[in-house]
Amino acid sequence: MGSVAFVFAGQGAQVPGMGRELYEQSKAAREVFDRLEAIRPGTLEMCFNGSAEDLAKTINTQPCLFAVDSACAAAAVEAGVQADCCAGFSLGEVAAVGFAGAMSLEDAFRFVVRRGEAMQACAEKVSGAMGAVLRLTPEQVEEICREFPNQAYPVNYNCPGQTVVACAAEIFDALTEKVIAARGRMMRLKVGGAFHTPWMGDASAELAEYLKYRPLNATKLPLYANLNAQPYGENAAELLTRQICNPVRWQQTIENMIAAGVDTFVELGAGKTLSGLIRKTNASVRVFNVEKSEDIEKLREEIVHEG
């Protein structure tokens, strides 16, 4: 048996009611939720009863998804699953930082609250949109974006045949027409800004300043960064803050983890987005997701008992 990787879901995976069932069924998950609720009162109410519209606001999305990601990880560990390495998609990287011990759970949560506020402020300055481009190569997507200088950027290299773009909201339709003309398909994403673009530069700088006085610890297990798809080293703060205004190298991250011996991925958090991306990247690996107690039982049966 190869290694197990925990991967933490990112923005866009949010859904009303997320985390409630696990809160009720898992002692470890409930403890995580309660610790974070004490720092940011109202987080549980937003996760369990918030509307889709409110959850889509970056200032809410990020702390709420962090809480769900982290609670799911605690429930998986409680069930006996041990991770050999980890990664997180965009926002999920902060949850991975907390899980890997580069920050305490509470400090990582405080950081993600600040991150959500800073990115929300940037998003309010520039009306942006994001869409997943399907059926085209990354090179084709990059070429299309070059037709809209300083207005469109490839931002998430997700898996073969899927690259996410971010753009000024007013050109989204024109960008979509270019994608269709190239025989691709565009799916608009439910996010509140043009993330991982130069428009997020102020947020990146603010958070870099924030971390100057809060040094990160060495990770307890390899944590792969969005920025370069490599494990964290001594430049942890730079990796964590620069990813905000640079592309997420997700496909490369998964490929590098597999090359390092990972054959089992456990997605933590709302939805199954990352599970789908991983399967499209390499169909030979095992992929699980943890969102509800029934998912924990499946982990026990197929990973813990096997081990």
Side-chain angles (χ1 to χ4, degrees):
M1 181 177 172
S3 300
V4 175
F6 278 8
V7 291
F8 294 80
Q11 201 158 339
Q14 68 274 2
V15 61
M18 61 182 183
R20 177 195 289 275
E21 197 264 2
L22 209 57
Y23 181 86
E24 295 171 349
Q25 300 296 326
S26 165
K27 179 180 178 181
R30 185 163 57 253
E31 180 186 348
V32 167
F33 274 122
D34 288 345
R35 286 164 66 185
L36 302 184
E37 174 71 11
I39 295 172
R40 183 182 182 270
T43 298
L44 292 186
E45 175 65 21
M46 182 63 66
C47 288
F48 301 163
N49 300 309
S51 67
E53 182 181 4
D54 285 338
L55 277 170
K57 296 175 183 176
T58 298
I59 200 167
N60 295 326
T61 314
Q62 296 204 13
C64 288
L65 273 176
F66 176 98
V68 175
D69 284 6
S70 300
C72 289
V77 172
E78 179 185 43
V81 183
Q82 297 297 320
D84 298 295
C85 60
C86 63
F89 193 102
S90 187
L91 156 72
E93 186 169 347
V94 188
V97 161
F99 178 79
M103 294 182 186
S104 68
L105 174 71
E106 287 83 358
D107 284 346
F109 186 62
R110 292 183 183 99
F111 177 83
V112 90
V113 170
R114 187 73 172 264
R115 184 182 189 269
E117 292 169 350
M119 292 175 70
Q120 175 84 38
C122 287
E124 290 172 357
K125 293 176 185 175
V126 176
S127 180
M130 296 178 70
V133 179
L134 310 179
R135 303 175 186 158
L136 301 183
T137 66
E139 293 76 18
Q140 287 176 295
V141 176
E142 290 165 358
E143 181 61 32
I144 290 171
C145 286
R146 280 194 286 270
E147 297 184 40
F148 300 88
N150 303 317
Q151 289 187 296
Y153 304 88
V155 292
N156 301 339
Y157 294 85
N158 284 350
C159 66
Q162 185 181 135
T163 304
V164 171
V165 297
C167 67
E170 64 266 22
I171 68 152
F172 187 85
D173 290 344
L175 188 65
T176 300
E177 290 176 6
K178 293 285 186 180
V179 168
I180 293 171
R183 300 193 174 184
R185 181 184 171 201
M186 177 82 90
M187 294 177 57
R188 192 159 188 157
L189 303 182
K190 50 179 181 179
V191 294
F195 304 129
H196 299 287
T197 66
W199 293 316
M200 293 288 131
D202 286 349
S204 178
E206 177 183 330
L207 292 168
E209 185 68 20
Y210 177 86
L211 289 182
K212 273 186 181 180
Y213 309 100
R214 298 165 180 84
L216 277 70
N217 306 314
T219 60
K220 298 175 183 176
L221 72 169
L223 163 60
Y224 286 74
N226 288 180
L227 187 68
N228 59 12
Q230 299 294 329
Y232 271 48
E234 295 180 357
N235 58 337
E238 179 183 2
L239 293 173
L240 190 57
T241 55
R242 285 187 59 205
Q243 61 111 288
I244 293 169
C245 55
N246 282 279
V248 174
R249 307 283 176 180
W250 190 250
Q251 179 181 336
Q252 187 181 355
T253 296
I254 298 305
E255 290 171 344
N256 288 349
M257 295 173 104
I258 293 170
V262 172
D263 68 358
T264 303
F265 290 86
V266 180
E267 177 179 5
L268 303 148
K272 300 179 181 179
T273 299
L274 300 186
S275 297
L277 300 181
I278 293 166
R279 290 189 178 102
K280 290 175 183 176
T281 299
N282 188 315
S284 69
V285 298
R286 297 193 303 171
V287 183
F288 302 87
N289 71 293
V290 172
E291 186 177 4
K292 297 182 179 180
S293 56
E294 64 191 45
D295 303 324
I296 296 295
E297 290 307 313
K298 186 175 182 180
L299 282 183
R300 282 197 180 101
E301 293 170 7
E302 301 197 29
I303 297 182
V304 180
H305 291 171
E306 179 184 283

